[in-house]
Coordinates of all heavy atoms in Angstrom, one line a residue:
M1 N 122.1 84.3 166.6 CA 121.1 83.3 166.5 C 119.8 83.9 167.0 O 119.8 84.6 168.0 CB 121.5 82.1 167.3 CG 120.4 81.0 167.1 SD 121.1 79.3 167.3 CE 121.1 79.1 169.1
S2 N 118.7 83.6 166.4 CA 117.4 84.2 166.8 C 116.8 83.4 168.0 O 117.0 82.2 168.1 CB 116.4 84.0 165.6 OG 115.1 84.3 166.0
D3 N 116.0 84.1 168.8 CA 115.4 83.5 169.9 C 114.1 82.8 169.5 O 113.6 82.0 170.3 CB 115.0 84.6 171.0 CG 116.3 85.0 171.8 OD1 117.2 84.2 171.8 OD2 116.2 86.1 172.4
R4 N 113.6 83.1 168.4 CA 112.3 82.5 167.9 C 112.3 81.0 167.9 O 111.4 80.4 168.5 CB 111.9 83.1 166.6 CG 110.5 82.6 166.2 CD 110.0 83.4 165.0 NE 108.8 83.0 164.5 CZ 107.6 83.5 164.9 NH1 107.5 84.5 165.7 NH2 106.5 83.0 164.4
P5 N 113.3 80.3 167.3 CA 113.2 78.8 167.3 C 113.3 78.3 168.7 O 112.5 77.3 169.0 CB 114.4 78.4 166.5 CG 114.7 79.5 165.6 CD 114.3 80.8 166.4
R6 N 114.1 78.8 169.6 CA 114.2 78.3 171.0 C 112.8 78.6 171.7 O 112.4 77.8 172.4 CB 115.3 79.1 171.7 CG 116.5 78.2 171.8 CD 117.5 78.9 172.7 NE 117.9 80.2 172.2 CZ 118.4 81.1 172.9 NH1 118.7 81.0 174.1 NH2 118.7 82.3 172.3
G7 N 112.2 79.7 171.4 CA 110.9 80.0 172.0 C 109.9 79.0 171.6 O 109.1 78.6 172.4
L8 N 109.8 78.7 170.3 CA 108.9 77.7 169.8 C 109.1 76.4 170.4 O 108.2 75.6 170.7 CB 108.9 77.7 168.3 CG 108.3 78.9 167.6 CD1 108.4 78.8 166.1 CD2 106.8 79.1 168.0
A9 N 110.4 76.0 170.4 CA 110.8 74.7 171.0 C 110.4 74.6 172.5 O 109.9 73.6 173.0 CB 112.2 74.4 170.8
G10 N 110.6 75.7 173.2 CA 110.2 75.8 174.6 C 108.7 75.7 174.8 O 108.2 75.0 175.7
Y11 N 108.0 76.3 173.9 CA 106.5 76.2 173.9 C 106.0 74.8 173.7 O 105.1 74.3 174.3 CB 105.9 77.2 172.9 CG 104.4 77.1 172.9 CD1 103.6 77.7 173.9 CD2 103.7 76.5 171.9 CE1 102.2 77.6 173.9 CE2 102.4 76.4 171.9 CZ 101.6 76.9 172.9 OH 100.3 76.8 172.8
A12 N 106.7 74.2 172.7 CA 106.3 72.8 172.3 C 106.6 71.9 173.5 O 105.7 71.0 173.8 CB 107.0 72.3 171.1
N13 N 107.7 72.0 174.2 CA 108.0 71.2 175.4 C 107.0 71.5 176.5 O 106.5 70.5 177.1 CB 109.4 71.5 175.9 CG 110.5 70.9 175.0 OD1 110.2 69.9 174.3 ND2 111.7 71.5 175.0
L14 N 106.7 72.7 176.7 CA 105.7 73.0 177.8 C 104.4 72.4 177.4 O 103.7 71.9 178.3 CB 105.6 74.6 177.9 CG 104.7 75.1 179.0 CD1 105.1 74.5 180.4 CD2 104.6 76.6 179.0
S15 N 103.9 72.5 176.2 CA 102.7 72.0 175.8 C 102.6 70.4 176.0 O 101.6 69.9 176.5 CB 102.4 72.3 174.3 OG 102.1 73.6 174.2
R16 N 103.7 69.8 175.6 CA 103.8 68.3 175.8 C 103.7 68.0 177.3 O 103.0 67.0 177.7 CB 105.1 67.7 175.2 CG 105.0 67.4 173.7 CD 106.1 66.6 173.3 NE 107.4 67.2 173.4 CZ 107.9 68.1 172.5 NH1 107.2 68.4 171.4 NH2 109.1 68.7 172.6
M17 N 104.3 68.7 178.1 CA 104.3 68.4 179.6 C 102.9 68.7 180.1 O 102.3 67.9 180.9 CB 105.3 69.3 180.3 CG 106.7 68.9 180.2 SD 107.8 69.8 181.3 CE 108.1 71.3 180.3
A18 N 102.3 69.8 179.7 CA 100.9 70.1 180.2 C 99.9 69.2 179.7 O 99.0 68.7 180.4 CB 100.6 71.6 179.8
F19 N 99.9 68.9 178.4 CA 98.8 68.1 177.8 C 99.1 66.6 177.8 O 98.2 65.8 177.6 CB 98.5 68.6 176.4 CG 97.9 70.0 176.5 CD1 98.7 71.1 176.0 CD2 96.7 70.2 177.0 CE1 98.1 72.4 176.0 CE2 96.2 71.5 177.1 CZ 96.9 72.6 176.6
G20 N 100.3 66.2 178.1 CA 100.7 64.8 178.2 C 99.9 64.2 179.3 O 99.4 63.0 179.2
Y21 N 99.8 64.9 180.4 CA 99.0 64.4 181.6 C 97.5 64.2 181.2 O 96.9 63.2 181.5 CB 99.2 65.3 182.8 CG 98.4 64.9 184.0 CD1 98.8 63.8 184.7 CD2 97.2 65.5 184.3 CE1 98.0 63.4 185.8 CE2 96.4 65.1 185.4 CZ 96.9 64.1 186.1 OH 96.1 63.7 187.2
A22 N 97.0 65.2 180.5 CA 95.6 65.2 180.1 C 95.4 64.0 179.2 O 94.3 63.3 179.3 CB 95.2 66.5 179.4
S23 N 96.3 63.7 178.3 CA 96.1 62.6 177.3 C 96.1 61.3 178.1 O 95.2 60.4 177.8 CB 97.3 62.6 176.3 OG 97.3 63.7 175.5
S24 N 96.9 61.1 179.1 CA 96.9 59.9 179.8 C 95.6 59.7 180.7 O 95.1 58.6 180.8 CB 98.2 59.8 180.8 OG 98.1 60.8 181.8
Q25 N 95.1 60.8 181.1 CA 93.9 60.8 181.9 C 92.7 60.5 181.0 O 91.7 59.8 181.4 CB 93.7 62.1 182.7 CG 94.6 62.2 183.8 CD 94.6 61.1 184.8 OE1 93.6 60.9 185.5 NE2 95.7 60.4 184.9
I26 N 92.7 61.0 179.8 CA 91.6 60.7 178.8 C 91.6 59.2 178.5 O 90.6 58.5 178.5 CB 91.8 61.5 177.6 CG1 91.5 63.0 177.8 CG2 90.9 61.0 176.4 CD1 92.0 63.9 176.8
L27 N 92.8 58.6 178.3 CA 92.9 57.2 178.0 C 92.5 56.4 179.2 O 91.8 55.4 179.1 CB 94.3 56.9 177.6 CG 94.8 57.5 176.2 CD1 96.3 57.2 176.0 CD2 94.0 56.9 175.1
Y28 N 92.9 56.8 180.4 CA 92.6 56.1 181.6 C 91.0 56.0 181.8 O 90.5 55.0 182.1 CB 93.2 56.8 182.8 CG 92.8 56.2 184.1 CD1 93.3 55.0 184.6 CD2 91.9 56.9 184.9 CE1 92.8 54.5 185.8 CE2 91.4 56.4 186.1 CZ 91.9 55.2 186.6 OH 91.5 54.6 187.8
A29 N 90.4 57.2 181.6 CA 88.9 57.2 181.8 C 88.2 56.3 180.8 O 87.3 55.6 181.1 CB 88.4 58.7 181.6
A30 N 88.7 56.3 179.5 CA 88.1 55.5 178.5 C 88.2 54.0 178.8 O 87.3 53.3 178.8 CB 88.7 55.8 177.2
V31 N 89.4 53.6 179.3 CA 89.6 52.2 179.6 C 88.8 51.8 180.8 O 88.2 50.8 180.9 CB 91.2 51.9 179.8 CG1 91.4 50.6 180.4 CG2 91.9 52.1 178.5
R32 N 88.8 52.7 181.8 CA 88.1 52.4 183.1 C 86.6 52.2 182.8 O 85.9 51.3 183.4 CB 88.3 53.5 184.1 CG 87.6 53.3 185.3 CD 88.4 53.6 186.5 NE 87.6 53.2 187.7 CZ 87.9 53.5 188.9 NH1 89.0 54.1 189.1 NH2 87.2 53.1 189.9
L33 N 86.1 52.9 181.8 CA 84.6 52.8 181.5 C 84.4 51.7 180.5 O 83.2 51.3 180.3 CB 84.1 54.1 180.8 CG 84.0 55.3 181.8 CD1 83.7 56.6 180.9 CD2 82.9 55.1 182.8
G34 N 85.4 51.1 180.0 CA 85.2 50.0 179.0 C 84.9 50.4 177.6 O 84.3 49.7 176.8
V35 N 85.2 51.7 177.3 CA 84.9 52.3 176.0 C 85.6 51.5 174.8 O 84.9 51.2 173.8 CB 85.2 53.8 175.9 CG1 85.1 54.3 174.5 CG2 84.3 54.5 176.9
P36 N 86.8 51.1 174.9 CA 87.5 50.4 173.8 C 86.7 49.1 173.4 O 86.5 48.9 172.2 CB 88.9 50.1 174.3 CG 89.1 51.2 175.3 CD 87.8 51.4 176.0
E37 N 86.3 48.4 174.4 CA 85.6 47.1 174.1 C 84.2 47.4 173.4 O 83.8 46.7 172.4 CB 85.3 46.3 175.4 CG 86.6 45.8 176.0 CD 87.3 46.8 176.9 OE1 86.8 47.9 177.1 OE2 88.4 46.4 177.4
L38 N 83.6 48.5 173.8 CA 82.3 48.8 173.2 C 82.5 49.4 171.8 O 81.7 49.1 170.9 CB 81.5 49.9 174.1 CG 81.1 49.3 175.5 CD1 80.7 50.5 176.3 CD2 80.0 48.3 175.3
L39 N 83.5 50.1 171.6 CA 83.8 50.7 170.3 C 84.3 49.6 169.3 O 84.2 49.8 168.1 CB 84.8 51.8 170.3 CG 84.3 53.1 171.0 CD1 85.5 54.1 171.0 CD2 83.1 53.7 170.4
A40 N 84.8 48.5 169.8 CA 85.2 47.4 168.9 C 84.0 46.9 168.1 O 84.3 46.2 167.1 CB 85.9 46.4 169.7
Q41 N 82.8 47.1 168.6 CA 81.6 46.6 167.9 C 81.3 47.4 166.6 O 80.4 47.1 165.9 CB 80.4 46.6 168.8 CG 80.6 45.8 170.1 CD 79.6 46.1 171.1 OE1 78.5 46.7 170.8 NE2 79.8 45.6 172.3
G42 N 82.0 48.5 166.4 CA 81.7 49.3 165.2 C 81.1 50.6 165.6 O 81.3 51.1 166.8
D43 N 80.3 51.3 164.8 CA 79.6 52.5 165.1 C 78.7 52.3 166.3 O 77.8 51.4 166.2 CB 78.8 53.1 163.9 CG 79.7 53.8 162.9 OD1 80.9 53.9 163.1 OD2 79.1 54.4 162.0
V44 N 78.9 53.0 167.3 CA 78.0 52.9 168.5 C 77.5 54.3 168.8 O 78.3 55.2 169.1 CB 78.8 52.3 169.7 CG1 77.8 52.1 170.9 CG2 79.4 51.0 169.3
P45 N 76.2 54.5 168.9 CA 75.7 55.8 169.3 C 76.1 56.2 170.7 O 76.2 55.4 171.6 CB 74.1 55.6 169.2 CG 73.9 54.4 168.4 CD 75.1 53.6 168.6
V46 N 76.3 57.5 170.9 CA 76.8 58.0 172.2 C 75.8 57.6 173.3 O 76.2 57.2 174.4 CB 77.1 59.5 172.1 CG1 77.4 60.0 173.5 CG2 78.2 59.8 171.2
T47 N 74.5 57.7 172.9 CA 73.5 57.4 174.0 C 73.6 55.9 174.4 O 73.4 55.6 175.6 CB 72.1 57.7 173.4 OG1 71.9 57.0 172.2 CG2 71.9 59.1 173.2
R48 N 73.9 55.0 173.5 CA 74.0 53.6 173.8 C 75.3 53.4 174.6 O 75.3 52.6 175.6 CB 74.0 52.7 172.6 CG 73.9 51.2 173.0 CD 73.6 50.4 171.8 NE 74.7 49.4 171.7 CZ 75.3 49.0 170.7 NH1 74.9 49.4 169.5 NH2 76.3 48.1 170.7
L49 N 76.4 54.1 174.3 CA 77.6 54.0 175.0 C 77.4 54.5 176.5 O 77.9 53.9 177.4 CB 78.7 54.8 174.4 CG 79.4 54.2 173.2 CD1 80.3 55.2 172.5 CD2 80.2 53.0 173.5
A50 N 76.7 55.6 176.6 CA 76.4 56.2 177.9 C 75.6 55.2 178.8 O 75.9 55.0 179.9 CB 75.7 57.5 177.8
E51 N 74.6 54.6 178.2 CA 73.8 53.6 178.9 C 74.6 52.4 179.3 O 74.5 51.9 180.5 CB 72.6 53.1 178.0 CG 71.5 54.1 177.8 CD 70.5 53.6 176.8 OE1 70.5 52.4 176.4 OE2 69.7 54.5 176.4
S52 N 75.5 51.9 178.4 CA 76.3 50.8 178.7 C 77.4 51.0 179.8 O 77.7 50.1 180.5 CB 77.0 50.3 177.5 OG 76.1 49.9 176.5
T53 N 77.8 52.3 179.9 CA 78.9 52.6 180.8 C 78.3 53.3 182.1 O 79.1 53.6 183.0 CB 79.9 53.5 180.2 OG1 79.3 54.7 179.7 CG2 80.6 52.9 179.0
G54 N 77.1 53.6 182.1 CA 76.5 54.3 183.2 C 77.0 55.8 183.3 O 77.1 56.3 184.4
S55 N 77.2 56.4 182.1 CA 77.8 57.7 182.1 C 76.8 58.7 181.6 O 75.8 58.4 180.9 CB 79.0 57.7 181.1 OG 80.0 56.8 181.5
D56 N 77.1 60.0 181.9 CA 76.3 61.1 181.3 C 76.6 61.2 179.8 O 77.8 61.2 179.4 CB 76.6 62.4 182.0 CG 75.9 63.6 181.4 OD1 74.7 63.7 181.7 OD2 76.6 64.3 180.7
P57 N 75.6 61.2 178.9 CA 75.8 61.2 177.5 C 76.7 62.4 177.1 O 77.5 62.3 176.2 CB 74.4 61.3 176.9 CG 73.5 60.9 177.9 CD 74.2 61.1 179.2
H58 N 76.4 63.6 177.7 CA 77.2 64.8 177.3 C 78.6 64.7 177.7 O 79.5 65.0 176.9 CB 76.6 66.1 177.9 CG 75.1 66.3 177.4 ND1 74.8 66.6 176.1 CD2 74.0 66.2 178.1 CE1 73.5 66.7 176.0 NE2 73.0 66.4 177.2
A59 N 78.9 64.2 178.9 CA 80.3 64.0 179.4 C 81.0 63.0 178.5 O 82.2 63.1 178.2 CB 80.3 63.7 180.8
L60 N 80.3 61.9 178.2 CA 80.9 60.8 177.4 C 81.2 61.3 176.0 O 82.2 61.0 175.4 CB 80.0 59.6 177.4 CG 80.6 58.4 176.8 CD1 81.9 57.9 177.5 CD2 79.6 57.2 176.7
G61 N 80.3 62.2 175.5 CA 80.5 62.7 174.2 C 81.8 63.6 174.1 O 82.6 63.5 173.2
R62 N 82.1 64.3 175.2 CA 83.3 65.1 175.3 C 84.5 64.2 175.4 O 85.5 64.4 174.7 CB 83.3 66.0 176.5 CG 82.3 67.2 176.3 CD 82.4 68.2 177.4 NE 82.1 67.7 178.7 CZ 80.8 67.7 179.2 NH1 79.8 68.1 178.5 NH2 80.6 67.2 180.5
L63 N 84.4 63.1 176.1 CA 85.5 62.1 176.2 C 85.7 61.5 174.8 O 86.9 61.3 174.4 CB 85.1 61.0 177.2 CG 86.2 59.9 177.4 CD1 87.5 60.4 177.9 CD2 85.6 58.8 178.3
L64 N 84.7 61.1 174.1 CA 84.9 60.5 172.8 C 85.5 61.5 171.8 O 86.4 61.1 171.0 CB 83.5 60.1 172.2 CG 82.9 58.9 173.0 CD1 81.5 58.6 172.5 CD2 83.8 57.6 172.8
R65 N 85.1 62.8 171.9 CA 85.8 63.8 171.0 C 87.3 63.9 171.4 O 88.1 64.1 170.5 CB 85.1 65.1 171.1 CG 83.7 65.2 170.4 CD 83.2 66.6 170.3 NE 82.8 67.1 171.6 CZ 81.7 66.9 172.2 NH1 80.8 66.1 171.7 NH2 81.4 67.5 173.4
A66 N 87.6 63.8 172.6 CA 89.0 63.9 173.0 C 89.7 62.7 172.5 O 90.9 62.8 172.0 CB 89.1 64.0 174.5
L67 N 89.1 61.5 172.5 CA 89.7 60.3 171.9 C 90.0 60.4 170.4 O 91.0 60.0 169.9 CB 88.9 59.1 172.3 CG 88.8 58.6 173.7 CD1 87.8 57.6 173.9 CD2 90.2 58.2 174.2
V68 N 89.0 61.1 169.8 CA 89.2 61.3 168.3 C 90.4 62.2 168.1 O 91.2 62.0 167.2 CB 87.9 61.9 167.7 CG1 88.2 62.4 166.3 CG2 86.8 60.9 167.7
V69 N 90.5 63.3 168.9 CA 91.7 64.2 168.8 C 93.0 63.5 169.0 O 94.0 63.7 168.3 CB 91.5 65.4 169.7 CG1 92.8 66.2 169.8 CG2 90.3 66.3 169.3
L70 N 93.0 62.6 169.9 CA 94.2 61.8 170.2 C 94.5 60.7 169.1 O 95.6 60.2 169.1 CB 94.1 61.1 171.6 CG 94.1 62.0 172.8 CD1 93.9 61.2 174.1 CD2 95.4 62.8 172.9
G71 N 93.5 60.5 168.3 CA 93.7 59.5 167.2 C 93.4 58.1 167.7 O 93.7 57.1 167.0
V72 N 92.7 57.9 168.8 CA 92.4 56.6 169.3 C 91.1 56.1 168.8 O 90.9 54.9 168.7 CB 92.4 56.7 170.9 CG1 92.0 55.4 171.5 CG2 93.8 57.1 171.4
A73 N 90.2 57.0 168.6 CA 88.8 56.6 168.1 C 88.6 57.5 166.8 O 89.3 58.4 166.5 CB 87.8 56.9 169.1
E74 N 87.5 57.1 166.1 CA 87.1 57.8 164.9 C 85.7 58.2 165.1 O 84.9 57.5 165.7 CB 87.2 56.9 163.7 CG 88.6 56.5 163.4 CD 88.7 55.6 162.1 OE1 87.6 55.1 161.7 OE2 89.8 55.3 161.7
E75 N 85.3 59.3 164.5 CA 83.9 59.7 164.4 C 83.2 58.8 163.4 O 83.7 58.6 162.3 CB 83.7 61.2 164.0 CG 84.1 62.1 165.1 CD 83.8 63.6 164.7 OE1 82.6 63.9 164.8 OE2 84.7 64.3 164.4
G76 N 82.1 58.3 163.8 CA 81.3 57.4 162.9 C 80.2 58.2 162.3 O 80.3 59.4 162.0
S77 N 79.1 57.6 162.2 CA 77.9 58.3 161.7 C 77.5 59.3 162.7 O 78.0 59.3 163.8 CB 76.8 57.3 161.5 OG 76.5 56.6 162.7
P78 N 76.7 60.3 162.3 CA 76.4 61.4 163.3 C 75.9 60.9 164.6 O 75.0 60.0 164.7 CB 75.3 62.2 162.5 CG 75.5 61.9 161.1 CD 76.1 60.5 161.0
G79 N 76.5 61.3 165.7 CA 76.1 60.9 167.0 C 76.7 59.6 167.4 O 76.4 59.0 168.4
A80 N 77.7 59.1 166.6 CA 78.3 57.8 167.0 C 79.8 57.9 166.8 O 80.3 58.7 166.2 CB 77.7 56.7 166.0
S81 N 80.5 56.9 167.5 CA 81.9 56.8 167.4 C 82.3 55.4 167.1 O 81.5 54.5 167.2 CB 82.6 57.3 168.7 OG 82.4 58.6 168.9
R82 N 83.5 55.2 166.6 CA 84.1 53.9 166.4 C 85.5 53.8 166.7 O 86.2 54.8 166.7 CB 83.7 53.4 165.0 CG 84.3 54.2 163.9 CD 84.1 53.6 162.6 NE 84.6 54.5 161.6 CZ 83.9 54.9 160.6 NH1 82.7 54.5 160.4 NH2 84.4 55.8 159.7

């Protein structure tokens, strides 16, 4: 039997363990800031979200991109999320 499938399975398990925590922290930060309620309004520019949450627009933009990667949010019009 080849070691390759076990190696890939091991890597997948390690990735889930390492990034599972990051995913939960991304969701926690979004909920704590009230992002889901704001995004429920539709396309919201990052600058408006940052003002509403008292966040740095660049940091919030990174958080929104992470939410898109997780499949929780969608990219809207340029500079906006939903």
Side-chain angles (χ1 to χ4, degrees):
M1 183 153 88
S2 170
D3 285 338
R4 187 168 174 95
R6 261 188 299 160
L8 290 176
Y11 177 77
N13 285 334
L14 182 60
S15 291
R16 274 194 295 280
M17 285 188 278
F19 294 111
Y21 177 76
S23 298
S24 67
Q25 291 302 296
I26 290 164
L27 294 172
Y28 172 77
V31 170
R32 179 138 186 188
L33 290 171
V35 171
E37 292 84 3
L38 295 168
L39 291 180
Q41 301 170 12
D43 277 8
V44 183
V46 174
T47 53
R48 191 168 122 218
L49 283 172
E51 289 171 10
S52 298
T53 61
S55 303
D56 175 76
H58 299 291
L60 188 60
R62 290 189 296 273
L63 178 65
L64 292 170
R65 284 190 296 278
L67 290 171
V68 169
V69 168
L70 291 177
V72 176
E74 296 177 350
E75 288 188 74
S77 57
S81 291
R82 59 173 175 232

